[in-house]
Amino acid sequence: MKLFRKIPFFLFLLALFFCLHGSVENFGFIRFTEVLYPGMYIVTGILLLTGFIFLFTRNLLHASLIAFFISLWYLFFGALHDYVKSTAALALLKAYPVIITVLLLLTFAWILLLKFKKSLHGRLAAYINILLLIYCLLDIFMLLKIQLTKSDEPFADTVKFNKAAVTQKPDVYLLVFDGYPGPKSLKDSFNFTNDSLKQHLTANAFKELPVFANYDLTYFCMASMFNMQYVKKDFEDLHITQRDFQKRGVEINRAAIFPIFISMGYQVNNFSIFEIDDLPPVSDKNSFLLAHSILLTDKIFHKRLKRDLGNHLARIIPFWKNNDFYQHDADNKRTEALLIQSFTEKKQSPQFVYAHFMMPHGPYYFDSLGNKNPYEKIMNYTMWQDKTLFLAYLKYVNKRMMNMVDSIVRHNPGAIILVMGDHGFRSFNSRQPDQPLRFDNLCMARFPNGNYAAMKDKWSNVNLFRYLFNSQFGQSMPYLADSSFTLRY
């Protein structure tokens, strides 16, 4: 007990608790090395802060207690801020200037307490040491419990597939353009017919499929489409949490269609923002992917500040721009390069290629001629509501889309190609929570054998792969009733 009163073990225990608790919260979405490296940086930062404060206090325990309090709110700022935002009684604290001011005042009060109550130092050190040790042991127990009791059962019921009925195995390309609206939305809301794209794809033997999205959030859209059924209703429609997104991420990774293609001898190529059948995403730096070390570091004060206010603070501090701002553009270019590489290389087996482009999803990086829009013009979400900016970006995306399609058809004329949006345009400046045009998405298909089986006048993405397997792979899967669900997070 004397050691607990004299030695600031809590400096290391705080970093350990931060990493352990993050691992418990995000079990299955973050690897050991992705916890280890941030943990090492955190310990180093805490020790450096302690050393700096020691220059003024000339007392190690005194400096450690001050450094502990600062490090505590700095590391857990995101969790604290999320709690404040979700608690009505604390609504006055949720604004950044307010909560930061309160934290600075509390820090000043803590420093004064330690300065004038030196007799408390030993007892506070012992209390914090023991408390953090208990918390760390509890989290270790929870990690072991989760590891030993985790289930490997699939997240969705498997749809029966009859391999004996398959008579052809063409390559299949699924090109998803995130948030690409359908013709009704573009005509009704943008007064734009999109004739050039439709005519170009039609000339390449594409046919428009009259589908609509079942959900208006990408994770839910892709989970339902890839599993050919609706997402299990274990969430609140208007209160979607990070955990709900993570569940959908697992459902996408272990979705039903990938084992089906593999069972037919297909090689699955993943050029997307998700992990697919344990194949890595195009980039693990994109904050859109709710996995890896970002789940741990996102709570840290400077990370949260940069994520939420970086684009605004960049006006004052130019180098403090949100590093993720241009990540979608970088990933789109890498995805396109990988796609081109996939059909120019010789393959021994048929290919299923899934490429997911974060465009015309905002930010609207380019105008219709491909000129880069100024950062100040597209820097925040309110600018995503600018229909002129969006329409110009969509025209730019059309050119890239047509070039990709032309290249696939030229190199692989016998391939099945699906070009679609996962959902429609969502950035309507409207208070209407269930804006129907949010679900209107593009969907064009090219079946070289011309076998476009009968379909309803209007149906939904959840039935798309059932339709593909029925019309192109000899299956007789029943279709589900079509519905859409408005979600909010």
Side-chain angles (χ1 to χ4, degrees), residues 475-489:
Q475 303 302 303
S476 55
M477 296 178 180
Y479 294 113
L480 305 181
D482 298 302
S483 297
S484 289
F485 303 89
T486 300
L487 307 175
R488 290 290 179 276
Y489 58 91

Side-chain angles (χ1 to χ4, degrees), residues 183-199:
K184 178 174 176 56
S185 177
L186 289 174
K187 183 180 178 181
D188 292 356
S189 188
F190 294 84
N191 194 30
F192 179 65
T193 58
N194 210 12
D195 287 337
S196 61
L197 177 68
K198 186 173 182 179
Q199 290 168 5

Side-chain angles (χ1 to χ4, degrees), residues 229-341:
Q229 57 188 302
Y230 292 97
V231 172
K232 181 181 177 183
K233 193 63 172 67
D234 58 356
F235 57 88
E236 296 180 38
D237 291 6
L238 302 182
H239 190 65
I240 302 300
T241 66
Q242 178 176 291
R243 194 66 180 174
D244 295 324
F245 283 116
Q246 289 175 312
K247 288 178 183 177
R248 306 297 82 83
V250 174
E251 291 165 3
I252 292 168
N253 188 355
R254 292 160 54 182
I257 68 164
F258 304 115
I260 288 175
F261 278 109
I262 291 170
S263 73
M264 291 191 288
Y266 276 75
Q267 177 182 320
V268 174
N269 291 319
N270 175 36
F271 309 139
S272 80
I273 55 178
F274 302 109
E275 291 183 350
I276 298 292
D277 197 33
D278 292 329
L279 296 171
V282 167
S283 170
D284 61 5
K285 296 179 181 179
N286 199 317
S287 60
F288 196 85
L289 180 68
L290 295 173
H292 308 297
S293 60
I294 192 171
L295 295 173
L296 187 69
T297 59
D298 181 61
K299 294 183 177 68
I300 299 176
F301 176 68
H302 72 274
K303 290 280 190 178
R304 185 61 67 93
L305 195 66
K306 184 175 286 190
R307 189 196 76 178
D308 292 348
L309 300 179
N311 295 332
H312 298 284
L313 293 173
R315 293 173 173 173
I316 307 169
I317 315 171
F319 65 85
W320 205 9
K321 188 182 294 183
N322 188 336
N323 294 335
D324 295 328
F325 187 77
Y326 289 102
Q327 189 63 47
H328 284 339
D329 183 44
D331 290 350
N332 289 335
K333 290 173 180 173
R334 175 163 168 73
T335 299
E336 186 172 352
L338 290 169
L339 176 66
I340 292 170
Q341 181 182 329

Side-chain angles (χ1 to χ4, degrees), residues 83-284:
Y83 176 75
V84 167
K85 288 187 291 184
S86 63
T87 306
L90 300 175
L92 292 175
L93 298 177
K94 68 180 181 181
Y96 268 92
V98 177
I99 192 170
I100 292 173
T101 300
V102 170
L103 288 171
L104 291 176
L105 288 174
L106 289 173
T107 302
F108 183 67
W110 178 255
I111 292 172
L112 289 179
L113 174 69
L114 295 175
K115 179 177 176 63
F116 295 109
K117 293 287 186 179
K118 294 182 180 180
S119 60
L120 289 176
H121 290 189
R123 282 180 286 171
L124 283 172
Y127 174 77
I128 296 170
N129 277 332
I130 294 171
L131 185 65
L132 284 177
L133 181 60
I134 292 171
Y135 281 164
C136 288
L137 291 173
L138 285 173
D139 276 341
I140 291 171
F141 171 77
M142 287 301 299
L143 280 173
L144 292 173
K145 181 181 177 182
I146 296 171
Q147 178 65 40
L148 294 173
T149 59
K150 69 176 183 178
S151 172
D152 291 325
E153 294 180 3
F155 278 69
D157 296 331
T158 303
V159 180
K160 291 183 179 180
F161 187 87
N162 179 15
K163 285 193 297 181
V166 178
T167 58
Q168 59 167 354
K169 297 179 182 178
D171 290 343
V172 179
Y173 290 85
L174 172 66
L175 310 185
V176 177
F177 291 82
D178 205 283
Y180 199 111
K184 178 174 176 56
S185 177
L186 289 174
K187 183 180 178 181
D188 292 356
S189 188
F190 294 84
N191 194 30
F192 179 65
T193 58
N194 210 12
D195 287 337
S196 61
L197 177 68
K198 186 173 182 179
Q199 290 168 5
H200 187 93
L201 293 180
T202 301
N204 272 304
F206 277 80
K207 181 176 180 178
E208 184 179 341
L209 300 185
V211 305
F212 62 91
N214 302 102
Y215 304 91
D216 52 356
L217 296 178
T218 296
Y219 271 76
F220 287 76
C221 293
M222 302 313 299
S224 59
M225 191 168 80
F226 284 162
N227 283 295
M228 298 181 285
Q229 57 188 302
Y230 292 97
V231 172
K232 181 181 177 183
K233 193 63 172 67
D234 58 356
F235 57 88
E236 296 180 38
D237 291 6
L238 302 182
H239 190 65
I240 302 300
T241 66
Q242 178 176 291
R243 194 66 180 174
D244 295 324
F245 283 116
Q246 289 175 312
K247 288 178 183 177
R248 306 297 82 83
V250 174
E251 291 165 3
I252 292 168
N253 188 355
R254 292 160 54 182
I257 68 164
F258 304 115
I260 288 175
F261 278 109
I262 291 170
S263 73
M264 291 191 288
Y266 276 75
Q267 177 182 320
V268 174
N269 291 319
N270 175 36
F271 309 139
S272 80
I273 55 178
F274 302 109
E275 291 183 350
I276 298 292
D277 197 33
D278 292 329
L279 296 171
V282 167
S283 170
D284 61 5

